[in-house]
Amino acid sequence: MARAPRPSTPAAPSASSVPAAGGGWQPSELQRQRLAYRRGRAVRSAVTAVLSTLVLLAVLIGAVTSSPGWPRVRETFFSWDKAKDSFPEVAAGLWLNIRVMLICAVVVVLLGLALAILRTLRGPVFFPLRMFAAAYTDLFRGLPLILVLLLLGFGVPALSLAGVSFQPVVVYGGAALVLTYSAYVAEVFRAGIESVHPSQRAAARSLGLSNAQALRYVVLPQAIRRVVPPLLNDFVSLQKDSGLISILGVIDAIRAAQISTATDFNYTPYIVAGFLFVCLTIPLTRLTDWVARRQGWYGTGGGAV
Amino acid sequence: MPFGQAPADGPLLSIRNLRKSFGTNLVLDEVSLDVDRGDCVVLIGASGSGKSTLLRCVNLLEVVDDGVITLDGVDVTDPRVDADRVRSRVGIVFQAFNLFPHLSVLANVTLSPVKVHGLPRAEAERRALAMLDRVGLSDKAAARPDELSGGQQQRVAIARALVNSPVLMLLDEVTSALDPELVGEVLSLLRELKDEGMTMLIATHEMGFARQVADTVCFLDGGRLLEVGPPAQLLADPQQPRTRQFLARIIEAGRL
Ligand SMILES: Nc1ncnc2c1ncn2[C@@H]1O[C@H](COP(=O)(O)OP(=O)(O)O)[C@@H](O)[C@H]1O
Ligand SMILES: [Mg+2]
């Protein structure tokens, strides 16, 4: 058989992987000795890891807390009372970050996919669309996000254009995030589309599917699955960058923390906001790792399409 | 089940003075060839001689430089012709199977009937299951392509091409990627198709198969159709020195 074995994480040889002695099989004396040896090694490794971690932590904590500036650092950055005080506002601000991130993520995916598809269109009729998509991605991948934020958040309202009704600042902030991230995500999708072997398209066309049908039913489903890990990575980044809308004066987690610090120059609220952001991104990062590991494409068998 | 047996005059497929190049590389040079209804025509020739390109031209996957291809009396090289319509009447099977890995076996076979021919899903699935049964794989309908052996995948690819009731089947080295013990199952399927009256144009290195099944064998060399004849004559008593050389190499490789 020509098939390669499925890529799967090989089970580490461990004592527990010994098959139950169902068919009357008993491990030989030699095998029992090997297993005992491996078990012993495993226990020793675990103990060593725990001990070395504890020692390192103790040394670090000792070094930091015994340093002369530590009491002031603790008071300014790690004040428990200040943390409790500022937590409600910062958490309420974070809820805004989460909503901005979720809404932007949906729009970014749709817009990015549309841009990527525009760039794959062939034929002279589509030349302007291809050019537009290419120029768009080049522009917004090159512009610093903060510049787009400032231009949209302060520049556009200042124009007070006729017909452009007043929008809350957060809308401009979200728009800036969408403009920048859709350019990135379009490139991710385009790479995914190009990674599908041309023979797949040829097979689809040979069955009578039109170019658009081949894209819709054969190329895109494969492309999208392949780019899920890099896309999730971009969303981790989007989640963090949603904090940048605070420069427009939107009261998000960071802005709320800033307001709270302004009263007494205690910076603990920033630590609180940072802690909350990390708590948000860690699950998404772990999800990305998990999807990437599970993927390997051929390992995804099963499940309806 | 009879295929493409509508009585009409003239060959089903007629190729006249076909030219195709990639850049400066002339790959098909003035190729002319007729395939009659119900005939099995086998293309042989060294790797790079243009067999695949010829098949891809017939299926309009490549745009020809010059020459005319007529299918069932219709000039399909006319740029005004609806290429998708033509392709849906011609089945092609590739060396590398090219199944859609994200779809189940059944969905691979029903994709074209549903999306191209507008069949209701239930009817498409009924036909697809009948076709999978035909190639001996009805029990694999729910499997993913990567769960099948190479021979099984290739039989699915053949079922996928057959489900549209094509008038012509193009088969491009469909056994070349298979382990020797899996070649037989695919070749015997092709033999059955031939017995049922399917018109086929086959590129292959399986000379034994060519001798038993082909009505005509064509030797392609450097893009030119050097020699055409019945298998008994062409394989046993080739007229051209190049053909003799090629066959001698094949015999050395133990394939005849
Ligand atoms: N898409 C392509 N672009 C450029 N050259 C090609 C392409 N496809 C085939 N060729 C060239 O055409 C020649 C014939 O190839 P092919 O038809 O695949 O031969 P065969 O199937 O007989 O092995 C080869 O020299 C190959 O390099
Ligand atoms: Mg070939």
Side-chain angles (χ1 to χ4, degrees):
Chain A
M1 230 169 45
R3 281 174 57 210
R6 272 163 180 267
S8 61
T9 31
S14 71
S16 62
S17 70
V18 178
W25 172 78
Q26 287 292 333
S28 66
E29 180 53 36
L30 179 64
Q31 182 64 13
R32 272 200 297 275
Q33 283 169 11
R34 288 177 187 148
L35 290 175
Y37 174 76
R38 281 194 200 124
R39 239 182 333 251
R41 298 289 293 205
V43 169
R44 233 173 50 198
S45 309
V47 170
T48 315
V50 169
L51 277 182
S52 65
T53 310
L54 286 179
V55 167
L56 186 67
L57 269 181
V59 167
L60 272 177
I61 290 173
V64 168
T65 54
S66 65
S67 68
W70 171 244
R72 267 188 43 225
V73 169
R74 193 179 57 188
E75 185 43 39
T76 321
F77 289 99
F78 300 102
S79 151
W80 181 244
D81 288 338
K82 183 74 185 172
K84 274 195 299 195
D85 241 26
S86 60
F87 184 81
E89 278 85 41
V90 175
L94 190 76
W95 175 230
L96 181 67
N97 288 107
I98 293 174
R99 280 176 297 166
V100 166
M101 184 269 173
L102 288 178
I103 293 170
C104 287
V106 172
V107 183
V108 160
V109 164
L110 296 178
L111 192 57
L113 188 58
L115 285 165
I117 291 172
L118 285 185
R119 291 194 76 170
T120 64
L121 292 180
R122 297 279 162 265
V125 196
F126 298 118
F127 179 77
L129 288 177
R130 272 202 309 274
M131 283 315 295
F132 165 77
Y136 180 100
T137 37
D138 282 352
L139 179 65
F140 286 105
R141 263 191 331 159
L143 279 180
L145 173 57
I146 196 152
L147 201 62
V148 182
L149 269 168
L150 292 173
L151 278 172
L152 276 185
F154 294 131
V156 173
L159 285 176
S160 42
L161 287 173
V164 178
S165 59
F166 174 79
Q167 298 291 332
V169 171
V170 65
V171 171
Y172 294 110
L177 287 171
V178 165
L179 285 174
T180 303
Y181 272 85
S182 57
Y184 284 115
V185 166
E187 288 300 284
V188 172
F189 276 127
R190 192 163 73 103
I193 289 171
E194 280 170 8
S195 78
V196 176
H197 197 270
S199 64
Q200 285 286 310
R201 196 185 285 256
R205 298 306 302 275
S206 77
L207 291 168
L209 272 73
S210 68
N211 220 341
Q213 287 175 321
L215 188 68
R216 162 76 182 77
Y217 298 111
V218 173
V219 177
L220 279 185
Q222 300 185 48
I224 288 173
R225 274 188 217 196
R226 278 181 207 177
V227 298
V228 164
L231 275 187
L232 284 173
N233 196 38
D234 276 349
F235 290 143
V236 171
S237 177
L238 173 65
Q239 204 165 57
K240 289 185 307 176
D241 281 352
S242 73
L244 281 174
I245 60 174
S246 62
I247 63 162
L248 301 181
V250 177
I251 314 239
D252 74 331
I254 294 176
R255 186 69 179 174
Q258 192 181 20
I259 291 169
S260 177
T261 59
T263 52
D264 53 6
F265 299 102
N266 186 307
Y267 295 102
T268 306
Y270 282 145
I271 301 293
V272 172
F275 178 74
L276 289 178
F277 268 100
V278 171
C279 287
L280 265 189
T281 49
I282 282 180
L284 201 49
T285 318
R286 288 294 164 275
L287 178 68
T288 311
D289 291 350
W290 181 76
V291 170
R293 218 177 318 113
R294 200 188 74 133
Q295 199 121 63
W297 170 250
Y298 283 104
T300 58
V305 171
Chain B
M1 158 176 12
F3 291 110
Q5 283 178 327
D9 21 287
L12 177 68
L13 175 72
S14 159
I15 301 170
R16 284 289 165 276
N17 305 325
L18 183 63
R19 261 179 82 92
K20 171 72 189 171
S21 50
F22 292 106
T24 57
N25 182 10
L26 184 59
V27 174
L28 293 175
D29 186 3
E30 302 290 320
V31 172
S32 294
L33 175 67
D34 283 344
V35 182
D36 285 328
R37 281 158 221 281
D39 265 10
C40 174
V41 173
V42 164
L43 297 169
I44 61 172
S47 188
S49 57
K51 304 181 295 293
S52 300
T53 307
L54 179 58
L55 296 178
R56 292 170 62 88
C57 284
V58 172
N59 204 33
L60 307 185
L61 288 170
E62 303 287 354
V63 180
V64 305
D65 294 355
D66 204 350
V68 177
I69 301 173
T70 341
L71 179 70
D72 226 353
V74 178
D75 173 8
V76 297
T77 37
D78 184 332
R80 285 163 299 188
V81 85
D82 180 353
D84 294 336
R85 278 279 300 283
V86 175
R87 288 197 198 101
S88 69
R89 299 183 62 213
V90 178
I92 186 165
V93 183
F94 306 93
Q95 175 176 349
F97 327 140
N98 297 358
L99 294 179
F100 306 131
H102 61 297
L103 298 177
S104 70
V105 164
L106 185 65
N108 262 276
V109 183
T110 56
L111 183 65
S112 166
V114 171
K115 302 301 177 195
V116 179
H117 298 271
L119 247 58
R121 180 162 298 279
E123 169 65 9
E125 290 189 349
R126 198 187 57 73
R127 275 200 214 179
L129 283 171
M131 201 48 80
L132 285 173
D133 196 36
R134 170 76 192 71
V135 301
L137 289 172
S138 47
D139 57 324
K140 298 289 185 192
R144 300 264 143 184
D146 69 308
E147 292 162 1
L148 305 183
S149 74
Q152 291 172 331
Q153 290 190 50
Q154 194 57 293
R155 277 146 63 199
V156 172
I158 293 172
R160 184 175 73 174
L162 285 175
V163 78
N164 287 326
S165 312
V167 294
L168 171 68
M169 282 287 278
L170 308 171
L171 299 125
D172 189 1
E173 297 196 34
V174 293
T175 57
S176 295
L178 300 180
D179 288 346
E181 74 266 32
L182 301 178
V183 168
E185 62 187 60
V186 172
L187 290 185
S188 63
L189 177 58
L190 298 188
R191 233 174 245 130
E192 289 167 27
L193 287 179
K194 154 82 176 153
D195 292 343
E196 291 165 15
M198 175 57 84
T199 312
M200 297 189 281
L201 182 55
I202 304 179
T204 187
H205 290 299
E206 299 291 336
M207 297 303 158
F209 172 80
R211 186 160 39 198
Q212 290 165 25
V213 181
D215 297 292
T216 308
V217 176
C218 309
F219 175 62
L220 259 176
D221 182 58
R224 277 169 308 133
L225 210 52
L226 221 53
E227 197 166 349
V228 178
Q233 179 264 311
L234 192 137
L235 297 178
D237 180 25
Q239 303 301 301
Q240 299 283 338
R242 299 281 302 168
T243 320
R244 275 199 289 274
Q245 257 176 36
F246 173 74
L247 289 173
R249 275 211 310 277
I250 294 271
I251 290 167
E252 248 173 68
R255 297 188 91 141
L256 189 68

